[in-house]
Amino acid sequence: MEWFMIFVSVAVLWFASLCKILHASFYPHRSSFLNNAGSLQKRNVLFVIAHPDDESMFFSPTINQLTSRGHNVHILCMSTGNADGMGNVRKEELLRASATLKVPIQQVTVMDHPDFQDGFGKIWNTSLLSKIVEKKIHDHAIDIIITFDNYGVSGHCNHHDVHHGVRRFMLDTSQQEIEAWELVSTNIIRKYSGPVDIWFSLWSAQTYSNGQTHCLLNENPRRSYAAMSQHLSQWV
Ligand SMILES: *[C@@H]1O[C@H](CO)[C@@H](O)[C@H](O)[C@H]1NC(C)=O
């Protein structure tokens, strides 16, 4: 009987969390990320990712927030994700997912460079990566970069190398006005708590509004799901 009550409680909590997520309009807090004092300044934001689907799986809450506020989003994907020979398919999927996320596909670049091939144990040249980022920034007057943190959500070495390439760029560049932000990897309990994490996220969003860290709540989870569903080759 006790076990049954625990099971019911968990199921109710899970369901309530899901409802909370799907009713994003109930969120009491709107993040001030790139939204300082209602400033109307539109920024050119570059997401630097490692593989097609990173944008939907990891960055779509941020992309949703930025596009809904009229910022101009670019995506630089460092590989086609060809570890299983599906690179061409995955590249197309990325373009479709970007369109779903309201990122114009002419602002999406998918690299297919011998030094940046998808896979565990493939070390990416961070100084070359930094040069590629530099060119992108220059060509599109980018003023904000968003990428992985040192752990890179899943611990994938390509995510880690992307982080270090962007870091290298930030250390080398003389352009003082460029900002870089990293996506903070959450601990394993939060990562696998599914929708239940929303309560912790809501709490963080209230607590961490110090200008250094922002907790963004996904304002359009349906759109994120629609973007992820473009990556059919990854639904395994
Ligand atoms: C990495 O890239 C830099 C800059 O393009 C190049 O000079 C260097 O030789 C490369 N390093 C390796 C190990 O390939």
Side-chain angles (χ1 to χ4, degrees):
M1 196 59 189
E2 266 170 37
W3 283 109
F4 179 73
M5 289 314 289
I6 291 171
F7 175 78
V8 168
S9 312
V10 169
V12 167
L13 176 63
W14 200 91
F15 186 73
S17 306
L18 195 64
C19 291
K20 183 78 182 169
I21 290 169
L22 292 175
H23 290 87
S25 53
F26 296 160
Y27 293 150
H29 176 85
R30 288 267 179 261
S31 168
S32 61
F33 183 57
L34 301 194
N35 195 28
N36 299 342
S39 149
L40 292 176
Q41 193 196 358
K42 300 302 178 216
R43 315 290 289 266
N44 294 325
V45 185
L46 177 67
F47 285 81
V48 187
I49 62 176
H51 314 114
D53 79 7
D54 293 345
E55 81 301 334
S56 301
M57 218 181 311
F58 308 129
F59 293 100
S60 72
T62 316
I63 295 176
N64 286 342
Q65 165 143 347
L66 297 181
T67 55
S68 77
R69 292 180 181 36
H71 295 293
N72 195 20
V73 172
H74 294 253
I75 296 174
L76 172 60
C77 182
M78 292 309 302
S79 80
T80 61
N82 198 33
D84 303 316
M86 301 284 279
N88 285 335
V89 175
R90 297 193 65 188
K91 181 176 172 177
E92 287 305 312
E93 290 172 347
L94 171 57
L95 296 178
R96 282 203 299 277
S98 300
T100 305
L101 293 169
K102 312 285 176 208
V103 177
I105 59 172
Q106 63 277 16
Q107 292 177 190
V108 180
T109 308
V110 187
M111 305 282 303
D112 189 5
H113 189 289
D115 287 3
F116 305 112
Q117 288 299 311
D118 176 19
F120 278 103
K122 297 235 164 63
I123 297 166
W124 287 4
N125 183 337
T126 49
S127 85
L128 182 57
L129 203 149
S130 149
K131 290 203 166 67
I132 292 167
V133 168
E134 180 177 29
K135 179 162 190 319
K136 225 35 237 143
I137 300 252
H138 179 261
D139 291 352
H140 300 284
I142 300 294
D143 41 22
I144 312 260
I145 309 173
I146 300 178
T147 192
F148 292 106
D149 68 0
N150 185 39
Y151 184 71
V153 188
S154 59
H156 196 296
C157 57
N158 297 159
H159 299 177
H160 167 96
D161 288 346
V162 164
H163 168 83
H164 284 281
V166 171
R167 220 184 160 86
R168 178 86 178 241
F169 166 76
M170 291 302 287
L171 291 172
D172 292 348
T173 184
S174 53
Q175 290 176 265
Q176 299 293 325
E177 66 287 357
I178 297 177
E179 282 173 34
W181 291 84
E182 60 181 23
L183 179 66
V184 176
S185 301
T186 56
N187 65 46
I188 195 150
I189 295 170
R190 288 194 64 192
K191 192 154 80 179
Y192 292 109
S193 61
V196 176
D197 185 66
I198 185 64
W199 307 105
F200 191 78
S201 296
L202 280 167
W203 177 78
S204 321
Q206 305 279 356
T207 314
Y208 300 121
S209 309
N210 57 14
Q212 298 258 327
T213 310
H214 292 274
C215 176
L216 309 187
L217 299 163
N218 196 350
E219 294 173 355
N220 204 331
R222 288 184 184 86
R223 184 183 291 168
S224 296
Y225 185 81
M228 196 56 222
S229 61
Q230 302 296 340
H231 292 282
L232 266 185
S233 72
Q234 301 306 299
W235 286 64
V236 287

